[in-house]
Amino acid sequence: MWKLKIADGGNNPYIHSTNNFVGRQIWEFDPDYGTPEERAEVEAARENYWKNRFQVRPSSDLLWRMQFLKEKRFRQTIRQVKVENEEEITYETATTAMRRAAHFFSALQASDGHWPAENSGPLFLIPPLVMCLYITGHLKTVFPEEYRKEMLRFIYCHQNEDGGWGLHVEGHSNMYCTVLNYICMRILGEGLDGGKDNACSRARKWILDHGGAISIPTWGKAWLSIFGLFDWAGCNSMPPEFWLLPTFLPLQPAKMWCFFRLVYMPMSYLYGKRFVAPIDPLILQLREEIHTQPYNEINWKKVRHLCAKEDLYFPHLLIQDLVWDGIYIFTEPFLTRWPFNKLRERALEITMKHIHYEDENSRYIDIASVEKVLCMLACWVEDPNGDYFKKHLARLPDYIWIGEDGIKKQNVGSQLWDTSLGLEALLACQLTDEIGPTLRKGHDFLNKSQVRENPSGDFRSMYRNICKGSWTFSDRDQGWQVSDCTAEGLKCCLLLSVMPPEIVGEKIEPERLYDAINVLFSLQSKNGGVSAWEPAGSSRWLELLNPSEMFEDVFIEQQYVECTASAIDAVVLFKKLHPGHRKQEMENFIRKAVRYIEEIQMPDGSWYGNWGVCFTYATWFALRGLTAAGRMYHDCLAVRKAAGFLLKLQLDDGGWGESYLSCKDKKFTPLEGNRSNLVQTAWSLMGLIHSGQAERDPSPLHRAAKLLINSQKEDGDFPQQEVAGASLRTLMIHYPNYRNIYPLWALAQYRQRVPLP
């Protein structure tokens, strides 16, 4: 039976930590763990998910919840409440529902103070890892039989009815994920027609019916070339010489968005090496299975620009294809021949230097999942027996997560993000007497998780920004600063700093809070917006060269309404509690950030959400930021328009429901059947409360709160519904803790700010 372990570094000599592994969450299979009743409960959860997988695609993340609730012997002792049709919500009813949610959520806190959870959704993360370990010969040692069994379970659970797999758990089938998951099944031991419900034959039929693997998008072409199922001649050039370009040029790694840069860094190394896995019988068989014509007859040069229509979201412009063609035809042949191949050798050395720098400064976790596997493979290609690769292997457990739908690979952990938001929700409950120990442990986690040092050495030359004083998305060891995580972490620490230390622990010293402010200030652009990871400022036209057909806005860093609003909220509170620190700069930061939010508002009163689904998410954030800065309904047109936007979308049951298609199509799209989603209802309810709706007409707030209260489960949990997180327009991210955090937070604000009998 599987067991989640917290803050555990094990005895591996190839792993180290900056804070004794606080925030680390890894799974272990123990054949002797659990009673027969507990094992039966797990099997029942798996079976229930399988039966209902097409109704609710994301998992409820039940396995660790079962474990924690049993270990803590949690029993909900607060009575369940319901609100009848014509019944008013009383203060007592709202308090009871809120307390039930707070006690349940508190019981899920880990021993080191954070809230564990999966952070998943994409269906292209497990296959490259399996391919990499197969190439290096470590698959069965890193992932014994029980792991491989659960990986296959995940693949089967998320196969669409047409036989393919989507980009994410709710997405339509596409070539990229279908080909990768098919290959993964075959590597994991399934035969030509094997897999649950004929998974392999159905997937292969989908691939061949849609033109075969030659129409896989750019990232897929690279992975198939690495695995010997494609030819590097069929890929657009990814020259490592890019890393030799001087920084004053517009097209240079320093100008690129960090995620994009760190994907193409190891990819360009593997391309420059023309690395191909050893060809074995399985690879020869796969060549016959995924292509519509004999492998040796494919004209690779003619398939470079092919992309299946199911994958194509950002079509290449003619100018981009001309750029890639020019490099492919005129530059690449010279760089592979003497004397220019000496330049290629130097470029590969510099590229690997950047890879090692990223690895070391993230303790081999790397910025995210896609980058992690590519960097790990590059290290193995450089030295199969070297310590760099062994250090990568030691950090693989940080990405593995297990739910009732099997093993999935996380994008990256969301420990800091979930914990900061969860603590803010709990603090809003004003239940210090009941949940004081929870707040204290959470405070301790934030204290130990703040990044204490900038990246090593001359980090500017390695294209890194300051990170001292920041909070990351996951844990301190990962090391990558994020603006909204820093803002939410800072706000939590500020709120806790005014509470009795005997209850919540000693407050963080001011100098460390000043460091957090430095990070936020470094990420504000001239237009007032706040970027996420690094300062924005690259020319917008560079986005035209985005080579990824599946995603949009990935080439350069940019500003986000959510990050800007979070930063306003934190800076306003900091200014109130520390009025003498950089006073004028504080005021300028807030003024410029508010102006940015107002200027990017959509004509209908909404904002586009980059990190959540979608317009309801961003509109809540924007209202939160604007009202924190003192903008009110009576004196701010943006607040009035935003409130109007939310009110017109409220459904008959009092809730709100928005489809992930809003992110892709950039226009509000309701959920099928006009269903409500509790997380989006909570966002909208809080947005309206921020706008002052209680003073104007509280009835929409009462209707929304009623839906939340009546949807609460017997134990205080809320049901899992659609995916609520988003990224890159087309990629949906699953945050299971959202179903607890946001309804709790909304009920707390409702109880606190809406007059109730």
Side-chain angles (χ1 to χ4, degrees), residues 227-382:
F227 206 65
L229 300 176
F230 210 81
D231 194 290
W232 283 113
C235 299
N236 284 321
S237 297
M238 294 173 273
E241 288 76 17
F242 193 51
W243 299 87
L244 299 177
L245 297 176
T247 56
F248 65 80
L249 293 176
L251 187 60
Q252 201 271 346
K255 308 295 196 301
M256 296 163 61
W257 184 43
C258 55
F259 274 80
F260 184 85
R261 179 174 74 240
L262 295 172
V263 166
Y264 279 88
M265 180 175 69
M267 200 175 278
S268 69
Y269 178 84
L270 295 166
Y271 173 84
K273 285 277 191 178
R274 294 299 195 277
F275 172 77
V276 178
I279 306 303
D280 64 11
L282 175 60
I283 292 175
L284 292 175
Q285 291 173 34
L286 286 167
R287 285 180 175 181
E288 296 179 4
E289 294 167 19
I290 64 173
H291 295 295
T292 57
Q293 63 186 107
Y295 184 83
N296 294 328
E297 296 179 11
I298 297 173
N299 187 335
W300 298 107
K301 293 181 179 180
K302 290 188 176 181
V303 304
R304 285 186 301 116
H305 299 310
L306 282 184
C307 181
K309 61 181 177 58
E310 292 80 10
D311 299 66
L312 188 60
Y313 180 71
F314 187 84
H316 290 179
L317 298 177
L318 176 60
I319 187 173
Q320 183 182 159
D321 284 341
L322 290 175
V323 169
W324 303 139
D325 287 347
I327 297 173
Y328 182 90
I329 296 169
F330 300 110
T331 305
E332 194 62 32
F334 287 102
L335 292 171
T336 56
R337 293 181 175 87
W338 189 90
F340 300 102
N341 60 354
K342 298 298 180 182
L343 184 64
R344 170 63 48 97
E345 292 173 8
R346 176 60 179 159
L348 289 170
E349 290 176 9
I350 295 298
T351 305
M352 184 52 73
K353 178 183 175 182
H354 280 271
I355 291 171
H356 290 325
Y357 185 86
E358 161 62 9
D359 289 343
E360 288 291 331
N361 280 277
S362 64
R363 272 55 61 182
Y364 288 81
I365 299 172
D366 293 317
I367 194 170
S369 181
V370 174
E371 295 83 351
K372 162 73 176 175
V373 177
L374 286 165
C375 287
M376 181 169 71
L377 182 57
C379 287
W380 182 82
V381 171
E382 182 196 34

Side-chain angles (χ1 to χ4, degrees), residues 383-598:
D383 183 358
N385 299 310
D387 286 355
Y388 296 125
F389 177 66
K390 293 173 183 176
K391 291 177 180 179
H392 265 295
L393 290 177
R395 280 293 189 174
L396 282 180
D398 294 65
Y399 278 98
I400 299 304
W401 194 263
I402 301 174
E404 63 271 26
D405 58 341
I407 280 184
K408 68 278 309 259
K409 188 161 180 266
Q410 304 203 87
N411 305 292
V412 66
S414 58
Q415 299 97 303
L416 250 303
W417 178 245
D418 286 7
T419 299
S420 296
L421 296 174
L423 283 173
E424 289 185 69
L426 290 171
L427 287 165
C429 295
Q430 300 177 333
L431 297 174
T432 306
D433 292 343
E434 299 180 34
I435 59 172
T438 301
L439 299 178
R440 187 183 188 94
K441 285 167 61 179
H443 192 194
D444 183 62
F445 172 73
L446 291 179
N447 181 12
K448 293 176 179 175
S449 298
Q450 187 182 21
V451 177
R452 305 295 178 88
E453 301 292 339
N454 285 321
S456 62
D458 181 11
F459 59 88
R460 301 288 186 186
S461 69
M462 305 305 285
Y463 319 134
R464 288 294 301 268
N465 188 48
I466 63 170
C467 63
K468 182 182 178 182
S470 70
W471 278 272
T472 71
F473 188 67
S474 54
D475 61 20
R476 179 169 150 186
D477 282 343
Q478 193 253 5
W480 270 91
Q481 72 285 344
V482 190
S483 61
D484 51 1
C485 299
T486 299
E488 303 297 348
L490 174 60
K491 185 181 177 185
C492 280
C493 292
L494 291 169
L495 291 170
L496 289 160
S497 72
V498 298
M499 299 178 69
E502 60 271 17
I503 297 177
V504 299
E506 294 297 325
K507 62 183 179 182
I508 294 178
E509 52 267 29
E511 290 73 18
R512 287 172 54 195
L513 303 181
Y514 301 163
D515 289 338
I517 289 294
N518 292 342
V519 172
L520 294 178
F521 279 14
S522 76
L523 296 173
Q524 187 175 41
S525 302
K526 291 180 180 179
N527 65 3
V530 176
S531 53
W533 287 270
E534 297 175 322
S538 299
S539 300
R540 185 67 185 171
W541 64 265
L542 288 172
E543 276 295 341
L544 299 176
L545 300 179
N546 166 23
S548 170
E549 303 91 342
M550 300 180 292
F551 311 117
E552 187 178 357
D553 289 338
V554 299
F555 205 89
I556 61 172
E557 179 67 284
Q558 56 190 295
Q559 305 83 20
Y560 305 99
V561 63
E562 303 99 309
C563 298
T564 307
S566 284
I568 291 173
D569 207 12
V571 171
V572 166
L573 181 57
F574 179 91
K575 181 172 175 285
K576 178 182 177 182
L577 299 179
H578 299 266
H581 184 74
R582 302 172 70 174
K583 181 179 179 181
Q584 190 58 53
E585 291 174 82
M586 295 282 172
E587 293 175 355
N588 290 340
F589 181 96
I590 295 167
R591 175 179 51 80
K592 290 166 61 180
V594 167
R595 184 184 65 209
Y596 169 79
I597 291 178
E598 291 177 337

Side-chain angles (χ1 to χ4, degrees), residues 687-705:
L688 287 172
I689 289 173
H690 284 303
S691 78
Q693 185 66 34
E695 290 78 42
R696 299 189 299 275
D697 174 15
S699 58
L701 309 180
H702 296 319
R703 293 170 57 216

Side-chain angles (χ1 to χ4, degrees), residues 148-149 152-153 155-156 181-196 199-200 204 282 285-286 289:
R148 302 195 301 272
K149 174 183 173 183
L152 284 169
R153 185 194 305 277
I155 292 172
Y156 301 150
N181 279 282
Y182 176 78
I183 293 169
C184 189
M185 287 192 294
R186 298 285 280 116
I187 294 173
L188 291 174
E190 293 295 2
L192 191 64
D193 298 313
K196 189 166 186 175
C200 286
R204 188 170 61 255
L282 175 60
Q285 291 173 34
L286 286 167
E289 294 167 19

